[in-house]
Amino acid sequence: MNPTRALATEAVHAGRDDLAQLGLHAAPIDLSTTYPSHDVAAEAARIDAFAETGARPDGPPVYARLDNPTTSRFETALARLEGTDDAVAFASGMAALSAVLLARAAKGLRHVVAVRPLYGCSDHLLTAGLLGTEVTWTDPAGVADAIRPDTGLVIVETPANPTLAEIDIKALAHSCGSVPLLVDNTFATPVLQRPVEHGARIVLHSATKYLGGHGDVLGGVVACDEELAGALRQVRFATGGVLHPMAGYLLLRGLSTLPVRIRAASASAAELVRRLAADPHVARVHYPRVGGAMIAFEVYGDPRDVIAGVRLITPAVSLGSVDTLIQHPASISHRIVAEGDRRAAGVSDRLLRMSVGLEDVEDLWADLCEALSPRRAAPAPAPALAAASAPAPDGTPEAGEGPAADGGPDHESGRGSDHGSGRGPDRTEAVGVRA
């Protein structure tokens, strides 16, 4: 990033520096799949150069699977925001991760060290060995001992999906030695965290989430040095996991409002965390020290009732949209992870993950209050609630144990209730360094 320009300025202008010279204000969309060239010898030379290094060809594009001017603008902008030499965009976050694994495997480095929790499909891709890789799962303290001569990558996600656990990137990068550390920065975005400044060498995003920001585009992107970027472009060309130009346009547009969206949603999330921590139906709230718009919380009752009870909040997978989304990881995003591995990583059956959007915080709170209240449905007899004190199979309390058994503010009243008063025990867990 240009050191003389703030991140908010870069978000608006990066990837668009040449527009004024072109006589344009909005970035153009290039939908061509192929490009004419009458100089066959020059075209052959450019293709040979790409085959050798994977660098973007000089001059006009050759073929859309090799490169596209619209997606290149997005790549340039994201690299500037993350502070890396380059970035390579893909059709999805999983396509981006797959390309990194394939690029490292092509060098004979098929072993991966990873720290749970990761996004459920990332976990599955590594565990199942679908790309011929072998994974060793460990905690941050065990990374150095887990590295082998054929280790090509160390992978972490911080804040983690869905528990929001945080890892000290600088300490972990030191443990990695010469092995590249890949940080999935989807939750924090470069607005809150720039992993390369702490020693990471590769930054992964599911661009579908905050970078796009509106729930209407799929994409993935890897920010890295020029050498890896070249290898990733070669993998992308060979496997076809290209980002469509329209998606590249939407992602570039999404970056321009990224800082504003992240800061506004984070402010609402922090307020909801404060209120949830005092709510008698909530056992624990997870919120990272870095901040952000993601919240995870565990309930005393059945989390599926909360999903069924929301009306304003959207019960759906994904995150990072302008509207607030909530989902039950054990049933949806992390269902593909073995139950024992989920629980060992802190993904309990009572955990809910919420991506806070841009709605008014009071409207969101009123919806949560209604969904959390057991009075929404036919209530269980009071004596039965008071007697239910045995721990659940996953170790979380049952509905009658803890603060919920002591009564509490009225959930029916929404905005006018005492939910926003902050009364009651503080059960917020700021999950920080786990090394």
Side-chain angles (χ1 to χ4, degrees), residues 115-116 139-141 157-160 164-173 175 193 198 287-290 429-435:
V115 178
R116 282 190 172 111
D139 59 24
E157 184 174 4
T158 179
L164 302 178
E166 293 176 281
I167 292 175
D168 185 332
I169 298 173
K170 184 177 182 179
L172 190 60
S175 299
Q193 172 178 278
H198 304 285
Y287 189 66
R289 291 187 178 92
V290 74
E429 180 181 349
V431 186
V433 177
R434 297 190 300 158

Side-chain angles (χ1 to χ4, degrees), residues 341-354:
D341 292 335
R342 284 202 310 267
R343 292 189 177 185
V347 186
S348 79
D349 290 344
R350 301 296 182 91
L351 185 75
L352 292 166
R353 190 195 75 187
M354 186 165 65

